[in-house]
Amino acid sequence: MTSLWHIPLNIPPEVLQELSKTLTPTGFADYSALTIFSLAAATYLTRGYLWDQPDPYQYLVFERPQLKNGGVIGSAAKETRNIAKELEESHKDMVVFWGSQSGTAEGFANRLAREISLRFGISAMTADLSDYDPETISEIPESKLVGFLLSTYGEGDPSDNTAEFWDWVNKTKGQSQLLSSVRYFAFGLGNRNYKYYNRVVDVVVEVLDKLGAKAVMPVGKADDAEGATQEDFMAWKESLFAVLKGLGFQEHEVQYMPTVSVQEDESLEPIDLHNGEPDGGSLKAQCSPIRPLTIAASRELFNSPDRHCLHIDLDLASQPEFTYKTGDHLAIWPGNPDSEVDRLLQVLGLSTRRSVPVSIKSLDSATKVRIPSPTTVATIFRYYLEICGPVNRDNVLELAQFAPTPEAKKYLQQLGQDKSSYAAFIDKNHVNLGRLLQQASPERWNIPLSYLVETLSAMQPRYYSISSSSVISPRKASITVVVSTTPVLENEGELIHGVTSNYLLAVSENLRSAAHPEGLTYHLNGPSDCLQGGKVLTHFRKSKFKLPTLAKCPLIMVAAGTGLAPFRAFIAERRQLQQIGKEVGEMLLIFGCRRHDEDFIYRDELEEMTSALGGKLRIVTAYSRMGKKRYVQDKISEVRDDVLRLIDEGANFYICGKAEMAREVEKAVAEVMSVKGQDEASEWRTRMKRRNKWQQDVW
């Protein structure tokens, strides 16, 4: 009998004989076990060859669109990630880098580079920070100028497209004179309501100076706390122009010169066109691809006839690569309403040409075309440009050159020249581009499409905190959306409609075969009819706003309005853990809204979870329009004993809502902690944030 295993030769014969008897299969059970073992071994050994082969295209899911050759669809292929080489080959004297989360800094950079080129004859280009290797900045010669327009969001965080540059900045702090040949200027975009106001530009400027770079002017900063970002930028821009004149550059009369061409091309077929599909722009690798998801269900959360808040469930079944974690964000890519698209087409005299194919091409090798080409004018206005936003003051002055009548030109010049007059005007009027042009003159405006493509902001996705738990609903993600409508003071009864929230309201109503309450209509079938059946274009973004690893860690959660969304997920996940036998920590939720019977969202769910958790969850409410006006920061003081006790027990502290609210909550907590002494309070704040036990998701 041949042995099934190799047996060492020094085993005594009698032992070998016994082993042979023992190891020889003698029955059905033995042969079955041997067969199963053999199959299992064969299965394991052929993994990756005959089965479970890796998807060769899996990397595409994580690719950053801006790093592909060509960047945005329709732009020239990018041959280098060396910015110094790019400046040399394209014969540019200035580069304006931008780091942008919502598109504002990108828009400012494009405006600045274009105006500097026209006003001073300096050949300038803009650059997405993620398109170039940051270390190549050190190769830029002193004859060139470098600009940085950098936004700060969240808790002093850089924008997604700034991540690689930010890492490089923090790694090279000690390398003196690395940037000794670089001359630069910098402008930061931030909000004073955030604790780390303009932290990104402050850190970058500090490191640039330590590395030997020379600032040609003090750093500029915008503060969006009072909506002053545009005016802050314009004031800083004038200071920069004065510096450029001081450096010897001659100022010229500004006349519009396009950097892109937009030409009709009726030879193109419909199959050749881009119909509104977003390409993601400078989204970081931490974001998923953009895909359509079906709205599985939508329901109203407010008990009010004139205010709306939606709970929307999105089905992930059609996108197997989509996954999320509790606390992540979901982005919605909206379309502009038909009324505003039609208004702008009409005022430009393009209504009958709305569907004619157009090709967009760069007239400058260093200029990136932001809009996929070829396409149509209607598609550009519906999906690719933010046509519903207010017009900034310097654009009002620029538009005067295209006025169809002397009266219209005078009207725009007077409107745009005075800062305070324009601020008072926009406080009482909603002046997006179409409405402003109509108001200035009923005549047809002959504005080049290239000007609109260059100056209007690109359409941006809107991010929502996911209000479902990935543990409970891994294939269904929910968001909580308050529908934004603001009255126009000058025109009684007219409303300013938030772009994305009203788009989602229209989609939700359509699922019930109903119309938008205000009569707004949208092309709900989406680009190339890819959204038929109640779908929306989405992607996921990772967040640091997470539950602690230990389920028994206590939680203090503070929210106002839809800031409750992620906490709904947190509490539901804790309840699920408790139901499977895990010990969960105590939770204190402080929630603020107007009235308990109007906009206390998820109230029934929270009451049910409070009961199910058996004393582990306590909810403290603050009502701003019931009895004595109270806000969440006021409630911090009222429950100070619980707050102090939970913090001493190692609680994680979470805030979700508007930045102003978060700032006031932090002040209130600091006052509560001051009972232990000022030093203790200061140490507590530093310790909590260093250990990631203080987290904010604010806007």
Side-chain angles (χ1 to χ4, degrees):
M1 178 69 66
T2 303
S3 174
L4 295 175
W5 291 274
H6 174 69
I7 307 298
L9 296 178
N10 59 349
I11 296 178
E14 59 275 14
V15 175
L16 183 60
Q17 186 176 7
E18 288 300 317
L19 279 173
S20 180
K21 291 178 182 179
T22 303
L23 298 176
T24 301
T26 58
F28 177 80
D30 289 341
Y31 282 106
S32 297
L34 185 59
T35 301
I36 292 171
F37 175 83
S38 300
L39 288 173
T43 300
Y44 177 83
L45 292 173
T46 58
R47 182 184 181 187
Y49 297 95
L50 300 180
W51 69 283
D52 193 29
Q53 298 183 56
D55 180 1
Y57 302 106
Q58 177 70 9
Y59 71 95
L60 292 174
V61 174
F62 306 98
E63 243 183 20
R64 288 157 67 169
Q66 71 273 21
L67 298 187
K68 297 180 182 180
N69 286 338
V72 176
I73 300 170
S75 65
K78 182 163 292 301
E79 297 178 356
T80 180
R81 285 183 54 81
N82 185 314
I83 185 58
K85 184 178 179 182
E86 177 70 23
L87 287 170
E88 189 66 30
E89 292 180 349
S90 58
H91 307 290
K92 298 296 180 184
D93 299 313
M94 177 188 294
V95 58
V96 182
F97 287 110
W98 55 266
S100 186
Q101 193 69 14
S102 64
T104 304
E106 179 184 3
F108 282 174
N110 290 327
R111 282 164 55 188
L112 184 63
R114 183 169 57 86
E115 191 167 348
I116 286 175
S117 296
L118 295 174
R119 189 181 292 259
F120 294 96
I122 301 173
S123 184
M125 63 174 283
T126 60
D128 180 337
L129 276 165
S130 66
D131 278 344
Y132 296 92
D133 295 325
E135 59 268 19
T136 62
I137 294 173
S138 64
E139 301 174 26
I140 297 176
E142 194 169 359
S143 59
K144 313 286 186 183
L145 278 172
V146 182
F148 296 93
L149 271 62
L150 306 170
S151 65
T152 299
Y153 80 104
E155 285 293 279
D157 299 318
S159 60
D160 289 344
N161 75 305
T162 312
E164 185 179 0
F165 174 72
W166 183 251
D167 290 342
W168 178 79
V169 163
N170 285 288
K171 289 176 183 175
T172 55
K173 288 180 179 179
Q175 300 181 33
S176 61
Q177 302 308 305
L178 179 66
L179 301 180
S180 57
S181 66
V182 173
R183 294 186 301 159
Y184 79 94
F185 53 86
F187 183 77
L189 289 79
N191 186 316
R192 198 172 294 278
N193 286 324
Y194 290 80
K195 181 174 179 61
Y196 297 100
Y197 168 63
N198 264 311
R199 173 174 177 257
V200 172
V201 76
D202 285 342
V203 170
V204 168
V205 166
E206 180 184 358
V207 174
L208 291 176
D209 291 344
K210 286 182 178 179
L211 297 179
K214 305 173 189 68
V216 299
M217 65 182 294
V219 62
K221 295 179 183 179
D223 182 9
D224 201 41
E226 302 297 331
T229 296
Q230 293 284 350
E231 290 296 338
D232 290 341
F233 172 70
M234 290 176 65
W236 171 81
K237 184 178 65 172
E238 291 303 319
S239 298
L240 174 61
F241 292 165
V243 168
L244 293 177
K245 285 188 283 187
L247 292 174
F249 294 103
Q250 297 296 314
E251 189 172 11
H252 312 287
E253 182 181 353
V254 176
Q255 293 184 333
Y256 173 64
M257 294 288 290
T259 58
V260 299
S261 72
V262 184
Q263 300 292 332
E264 290 187 352
D265 187 350
E266 297 190 68
S267 68
L268 293 166
E269 298 294 330
I271 196 173
D272 300 323
L273 305 181
H274 294 276
N275 295 310
E277 305 86 349
D279 66 4
S282 59
L283 294 175
K284 198 189 169 191
Q286 68 178 14
C287 295
S288 74
I290 303 166
R291 298 285 187 268
L293 288 179
T294 301
I295 293 180
S298 175
R299 71 178 191 268
E300 181 70 59
L301 296 177
F302 282 174
N303 295 314
S304 172
D306 56 350
R307 297 177 66 221
H308 301 276
C309 185
L310 303 173
H311 174 89
I312 298 175
D313 292 320
L314 295 138
D315 189 356
L316 278 57
S318 63
Q319 304 297 337
E321 78 271 35
F322 268 12
T323 59
Y324 76 97
K325 297 293 184 184
T326 305
D328 282 347
H329 299 141
L330 185 141
I332 299 291
W333 290 81
N336 288 310
D338 294 335
S339 57
E340 295 302 334
V341 174
D342 293 341
R343 186 195 308 273
L344 192 51
L345 288 169
Q346 181 182 358
V347 77
L348 296 174
L350 295 172
S351 296
T352 60
R353 311 296 293 173
R354 62 187 298 149
S355 300
V356 176
V358 295
S359 291
I360 308 173
K361 297 179 181 178
S362 173
L363 299 176
D364 184 336
S365 62
T367 298
K368 181 185 292 185
V369 177
R370 301 175 299 156
I371 296 174
S373 175
T375 184
T376 66
V377 179
T379 298
I380 292 173
F381 292 164
R382 186 180 305 282
Y383 294 114
Y384 291 130
L385 294 179
E386 296 272 9
I387 67 170
C388 293
V391 183
N392 57 66
R393 188 164 61 88
D394 58 352
N395 278 147
V396 172
L397 292 171
E398 285 184 348
L399 286 167
Q401 65 186 301
F402 306 115
T405 66
E407 293 77 16
K409 183 174 183 177
K410 182 179 179 181
Y411 174 82
L412 292 180
Q413 287 175 334
Q414 290 179 340
L415 182 62
Q417 281 172 350
D418 186 73
K419 173 181 175 180
S420 57
S421 296
Y422 187 68
F425 174 76
I426 62 174
D427 276 345
K428 298 179 180 179
N429 299 269
H430 179 57
V431 284
N432 63 30
L433 180 61
R435 296 184 188 213
L436 176 66
L437 298 179
Q438 278 185 337
Q439 195 163 330
S441 173
E443 302 286 333
R444 174 181 175 239
W445 289 72
N446 189 26
I447 301 175
L449 280 173
S450 58
Y451 175 83
L452 301 181
V453 168
E454 290 169 342
T455 57
L456 289 178
S457 297
M459 181 68 84
Q460 297 291 325
R462 274 61 166 182
Y463 290 94
Y464 296 91
S465 298
I466 296 176
S467 53
S468 57
S469 163
S470 58
V471 171
I472 300 171
S473 303
R475 304 309 300 155
K476 188 177 289 182
S478 64
I479 55 175
T480 309
V481 182
V482 64
V483 179
S484 171
T485 52
T486 305
V488 178
L489 299 180
E490 194 99 319
N491 301 299
E492 189 174 347
E494 187 178 357
L495 298 173
I496 302 170
H497 299 284
V499 174
T500 308
S501 60
N502 281 278
Y503 166 73
L504 288 171
L505 179 59
V507 176
S508 298
E509 292 296 325
N510 188 61
L511 290 173
R512 293 185 280 272
S513 301
H516 187 285
E518 301 297 332
L520 294 179
T521 60
Y522 300 79
H523 185 61
L524 298 182
N525 283 346
S528 304
D529 293 333
C530 71
L531 302 180
Q532 292 186 79
K535 296 179 181 178
V536 289
L537 285 167
T538 69
H539 72 260
F540 287 91
R541 184 177 70 182
K542 296 178 182 177
S543 167
K544 298 176 183 177
F545 199 73
K546 300 296 184 187
L547 279 166
T549 304
L550 293 176
K552 62 183 180 180
C553 176
L555 309 179
I556 302 173
M557 300 167 284
V558 184
T562 54
L564 181 61
F567 300 142
R568 173 184 183 262
F570 284 11
I571 296 167
E573 189 161 311
R574 280 284 176 95
R575 181 185 63 173
Q576 180 74 7
L577 291 173
Q578 186 187 63
Q579 287 177 341
I580 63 174
K582 285 190 174 291
E583 180 185 354
V584 299
E586 185 178 346
M587 292 171 281
L588 173 63
L589 170 64
I590 303 174
F591 172 64
C593 60
R594 293 184 180 183
R595 304 175 186 274
H596 73 85
D597 57 349
E598 178 183 322
D599 55 357
F600 190 158
I601 58 177
Y602 302 118
R603 186 175 65 174
D604 293 342
E605 286 186 29
L606 289 170
E607 288 175 353
E608 187 274 328
M609 287 193 285
T610 301
S611 176
L613 283 161
K616 289 292 185 177
L617 172 64
R618 179 188 175 194
I619 301 176
V620 176
T621 51
Y623 300 114
S624 61
R625 298 193 183 181
M626 279 182 61
K628 185 179 179 181
K629 184 180 292 187
R630 308 295 286 170
Y631 297 102
V632 288
Q633 57 265 31
D634 301 319
K635 291 294 181 178
I636 295 287
S637 299
E638 292 182 20
V639 295
R640 63 170 59 230
D641 291 341
D642 286 329
V643 170
L644 281 170
R645 176 177 56 81
L646 290 173
I647 288 175
D648 285 341
E649 292 174 3
N652 276 21
F653 203 111
Y654 299 90
I655 307 174
C656 188
K658 291 186 177 180
E660 305 96 287
M661 179 272 289
R663 183 183 60 182
E664 294 303 317
V665 167
E666 183 163 356
K667 286 181 182 177
V669 177
E671 289 178 7
V672 168
M673 293 298 296
S674 65
V675 299
K676 296 188 173 186
Q678 199 61 40
D679 291 341
E680 174 69 22
S682 178
E683 287 178 15
W684 160 78
R685 284 198 295 269
T686 303
R687 187 170 62 251
M688 288 278 284
K689 290 178 179 179
R690 189 190 311 122
R691 297 167 58 196
N692 206 32
K693 294 184 75 64
W694 179 283
Q695 298 185 35
Q696 295 184 180
D697 189 356
V698 297
W699 53 87

